[in-house]
Amino acid sequence: MEYVAGTAQDLRSELMATMARYRYRVFVETLGWDLAAPDGLELDQFDAPGARYVLARNDAGRLVGVARLLPTTGPYLLADVFPQLMGPVPLPRDPAVWELSRFAAVDFDAPQAVAGGQFSSDIAVALLREAQACARGIGARALVTVSPRGVERLLRAAGFRAHRVAPPQVVGGHPLFACWMDLSE
Amino acid sequence: MTPCNSPSQERPSGLLRLSLAQCRRLRLAHLVSGLDEESPGERLCGSATSLRGYTEWVSLDEPSVTLGWDWQLLAEGGTARCVRVGQPFSNVLLVDAQGVDFDAERNLDALAGLVDSLPWSGATRDAVSRRYG
């Protein structure tokens, strides 16, 4: 597997478009998320100049995973859309805390691709490690992410240091919560 | 012995440092329970199905504790009960009498013991029954 990381400016526009189409396939087509995605491209208001991306490609060069890192010193998903997930804990506004979002790891070329799933565990773990390394490289000491239960289980199984920030909110019948990942070594 | 890590030097991450005694005094209420979706490979006609799911509990009072765990339905002697699978997920980090953090494994083991002392199985089973008919 190969990884490419950078801002939208660093990545070629063609690769950004490929990422947007992949995100559409995962989040809109597979998971059924109600997202504005004209022309089959999934990008939102947080895909701004400050965002960093980590992309994974398989041996054939096809995209098999994506992750987005946002600085908490600017707009980010947890603060702007799901602040209630923080409970009584102040929203981080810290250059050493970044948000991980739009995380997916599905190889649509693989025959065992999980139907209706957001990630293959092997790809997901590898991509998470890469995203964490990238985050450390830009000064992050922690990551926060809006998480369903599946992400929590994945983090635990892979040995990442993570904990819940506050009690979950039930969204669509399922618990959703803010997850804190410690990147300090 | 002084704590090896000072909370004041950490970023506010929501981690609650509590003693086991404090945790045992918490009043916990059921929030939500649900079933795990089986993977497509498990949906074989005639094959045994094991019901597995999750359950989430929260404290009624401050501090705002979250405690969730996975479970599996076991049928024994004509009755069905939910049993915990794996260690729980939480925002609690237990500390000892000197205020020293439990290490990760000890923390999870102690929280699992706390879960096992709770009469949660019936409430979870009932919640799942109501939710899925």
Side-chain angles (χ1 to χ4, degrees):
Chain A
M1 206 151 53
E2 175 198 38
Y3 302 96
V4 179
T7 63
Q9 190 173 12
D10 297 330
L11 305 177
R12 298 191 320 271
S13 58
E14 179 186 343
L15 187 53
M16 284 296 295
T18 299
M19 180 195 74
R21 280 193 293 272
Y22 177 86
R23 278 170 40 171
Y24 179 86
R25 193 171 177 187
V26 173
F27 298 113
V28 179
E29 289 187 340
T30 302
L31 294 179
W33 290 10
D34 183 19
L35 302 172
D39 303 321
L41 302 173
E42 199 282 300
L43 293 168
D44 67 7
Q45 68 269 37
F46 303 109
D47 290 300
R52 305 283 182 124
Y53 303 93
V54 183
L55 310 180
R57 294 193 284 207
N58 63 15
D59 293 342
R62 305 270 289 198
L63 212 55
V64 296
V66 297
R68 179 177 66 188
L69 296 168
L70 294 173
T72 60
T73 50
Y76 63 105
L77 186 68
L78 182 57
D80 293 18
V81 181
F82 295 106
Q84 68 273 27
L85 298 183
M86 292 295 290
V89 182
L91 281 161
R93 294 290 183 189
D94 187 334
V97 181
W98 285 63
E99 178 187 65
L100 174 69
S101 61
R102 287 297 192 269
F103 181 87
V106 180
D107 183 352
F108 288 104
D109 290 342
Q112 67 273 22
V114 179
Q118 189 172 351
F119 29 70
S120 144
S121 60
D122 290 344
I123 299 174
V125 171
L127 181 58
L128 262 173
R129 294 198 198 287
E130 194 66 27
Q132 288 193 341
C134 178
R136 285 194 189 96
I138 51 179
R141 291 297 173 263
L143 292 176
V144 288
T145 184
V146 176
S147 294
R149 283 295 249 103
V151 170
E152 194 175 44
R153 288 170 179 160
L154 178 76
L155 294 174
R156 171 75 58 85
F160 291 101
R161 288 183 298 174
H163 66 267
R164 300 173 169 192
V165 175
Q169 299 290 313
V170 180
V171 178
H174 299 286
L176 198 65
F177 50 90
C179 180
W180 182 281
M181 284 183 271
D182 183 7
L183 300 185
S184 59
E185 295 173 312
Chain B
M1 177 186 294
T2 55
C4 56
N5 50 338
S6 165
S8 65
Q9 296 174 343
E10 296 178 358
R11 295 177 172 81
S13 70
L15 206 56
L16 296 174
R17 284 178 165 81
L18 301 173
S19 69
L20 196 51
Q22 286 176 302
C23 282
R24 289 192 180 117
R25 289 195 292 270
L26 291 171
R27 293 191 302 152
L28 292 171
H30 176 265
L31 178 65
V32 67
S33 293
L35 295 176
D36 290 341
E37 292 182 2
E38 289 179 310
S39 67
E42 293 179 4
R43 295 191 196 118
L44 297 174
C45 183
S47 66
T49 295
S50 63
L51 273 180
R52 298 172 72 101
Y54 61 88
T55 187
E56 294 288 340
W57 294 64
V58 295
S59 57
L60 290 171
D61 310 302
E62 294 296 319
S64 193
V65 168
T66 166
L67 194 58
W69 57 94
D70 296 330
W71 54 266
Q72 181 176 4
L73 192 69
L74 286 186
E76 293 176 335
T79 61
R81 65 186 184 96
C82 300
V83 295
R84 177 179 55 82
V85 174
Q87 293 172 317
F89 301 87
S90 180
N91 60 343
V92 170
L93 175 59
L94 294 168
V95 296
D96 65 17
Q98 287 72 45
V100 177
D101 294 347
F102 279 27
D103 65 45
E105 199 59 36
R106 185 184 176 198
N107 188 56
L108 292 177
D109 285 346
L111 289 175
L114 179 67
V115 167
D116 292 344
S117 73
L118 300 172
W120 63 271
S121 177
T124 295
R125 190 190 59 237
D126 291 347
V128 170
S129 292
R130 284 193 301 270
R131 179 172 178 177
Y132 297 94

